[in-house]
Amino acid sequence: MSPRRERAMVEPAEFRSYYGRPILKEPAWKQPDVPLYLFLGGAAGASASMAALADLTGRPELARVGRLVASGGSIASVVALIHDLGKATRFLHMLRVFKPTSPLSVGSWILSPFSGLAAVAAFSEVSGVFPRIGRLAGAAAGVLGPAMCTYTAVLLADTATPSWHEAHGTLPVLFAGSAMTSGAGAALMAVRPSETGPVVRAGLVGAVAELVAEHHLETGLGLASEPYRTGRAGKLLKAAKALTATGAALSLVARRHRAAGIAAGAAYLASGLCTRFGVYAAGIESTKDPKYVVVPQRERLNRAQG
């Protein structure tokens, strides 16, 4: 006689809702305010660091463009954040207390001094007033630049949104790489080819980091990777990868062909926008289906039990 096969009495669960309700609420942040805030802050941070390095290596035009982009980007980022919050006083309230354990508090204390320093550096650059103070402010903004590029990734990963939280080790790399390509893109569009050598190299480094991180988002997070591959987020991130690769290829001939540099810069900037909107869309999508919460929790529990 053949051995009797046991059959499960209960069908595998389909995680569609929790008593008719989603387990998690969608983030209350607005679109396009928050994705723009993520993009502008990153581009500003990378531009400030590029400007500080350009100043040290004797590239005045690159330093000037970097300072202007850093100032304009950071101020626009603050405006987008305040518009999302609804009132300027809500942003000011976040500065009342500094909490090292709160990414939101730390982020506010990064954005505020960075914006002020970048504005001082840009004002001095344009007006010619207090050049020494302007250079010092630009150098300080450049030191804060890497934090500007990545702190927003930590903000997203610190939430309960599954596809953001599971990517806590990948989002900072992605945002840093994307910020570098965005900063490089702005410089490629505005700086003469003779000063774009360091910009091209920075853009290539950023492009590699960005493409590797995006691949990991789409394949290395288990079930939480699914929202990055599908729907609106999948289309945006696929476009971002194509634009980044295009920008990197065009940048290689940017020093010989001005038009190629402008096209490369535009591709890099468009990629940065697609990346931020894509990551944001993936996070929103992952809050709508309870499986993105329940299945990873069960997998972690099973691993812990042996």
Side-chain angles (χ1 to χ4, degrees), residues 36-45 70-82 85 91-92 94-95 98 103-119 141 144-145 147-149 151-152 155:
L36 284 175
Y37 157 69
L38 303 176
F39 165 73
L40 292 166
S71 177
S74 62
I75 291 172
S77 178
V78 172
V79 170
L81 178 59
I82 290 174
L85 294 172
F91 176 72
L92 296 176
M94 292 191 293
L95 301 174
F98 177 72
L104 181 60
S105 176
V106 173
S108 300
W109 280 94
I110 292 172
L111 177 59
S112 297
F114 177 89
S115 301
L117 290 166
L144 289 175
M148 278 289 293
C149 295
Y151 86 87
T152 50
L155 282 179

Side-chain angles (χ1 to χ4, degrees), residues 41-305:
S47 296
S49 296
M50 289 182 189
L53 292 173
D55 192 40
L56 289 174
T57 55
R59 293 178 171 87
E61 186 179 353
L62 180 56
R64 178 184 177 87
V65 169
R67 286 170 181 163
L68 294 178
V69 173
S71 177
S74 62
I75 291 172
S77 178
V78 172
V79 170
L81 178 59
I82 290 174
H83 188 265
D84 176 70
L85 294 172
K87 295 180 180 179
T89 52
R90 291 175 180 170
F91 176 72
L92 296 176
H93 285 327
M94 292 191 293
L95 301 174
R96 294 173 62 187
V97 178
F98 177 72
K99 295 177 63 176
T101 57
S102 168
L104 181 60
S105 176
V106 173
S108 300
W109 280 94
I110 292 172
L111 177 59
S112 297
F114 177 89
S115 301
L117 290 166
V120 169
F123 174 78
S124 176
E125 185 70 43
V126 171
S127 66
V129 176
F130 304 123
R132 184 173 297 179
I133 293 176
R135 291 187 67 185
L136 288 173
V143 171
L144 289 175
M148 278 289 293
C149 295
T150 55
Y151 86 87
T152 50
V154 178
L155 282 179
L156 297 184
D158 194 55
T159 67
T161 302
S163 286
W164 293 343
H165 186 74
E166 293 295 322
H168 63 274
T170 307
L171 284 180
V173 177
L174 174 64
F175 278 27
S178 181
M180 289 179 69
T181 57
S182 296
L188 284 168
M189 294 183 72
V191 176
R192 288 177 299 175
S194 60
E195 290 196 14
T196 58
V199 173
V200 170
R201 292 189 288 273
L204 292 174
V205 171
V208 170
E210 183 179 349
L211 292 172
V212 170
E214 283 180 347
H215 179 72
H216 188 260
L217 282 183
E218 295 172 355
T219 61
L221 304 178
L223 186 61
S225 286
E226 188 175 83
Y228 291 108
R229 298 192 303 266
T230 58
R232 180 169 178 264
K235 293 177 182 177
L236 285 166
L237 291 174
K238 186 178 294 184
K241 288 190 290 184
L243 287 164
T244 296
T246 300
L250 289 171
S251 73
L252 295 174
V253 295
R255 298 193 73 178
R256 297 191 298 273
H257 302 283
R258 176 70 172 141
I262 294 173
Y268 274 155
L269 289 169
S271 171
L273 282 168
C274 287
T275 296
R276 298 315 196 282
F277 276 89
V279 168
Y280 190 83
I284 296 297
E285 192 62 30
S286 71
T287 63
K288 296 179 180 179
D289 193 331
K291 72 179 182 182
Y292 296 119
V293 177
V294 176
V295 173
Q297 286 180 344
R298 290 187 174 182
E299 289 176 348
R300 286 193 291 268
L301 180 61
N302 291 336
R303 287 195 297 268
Q305 291 177 342

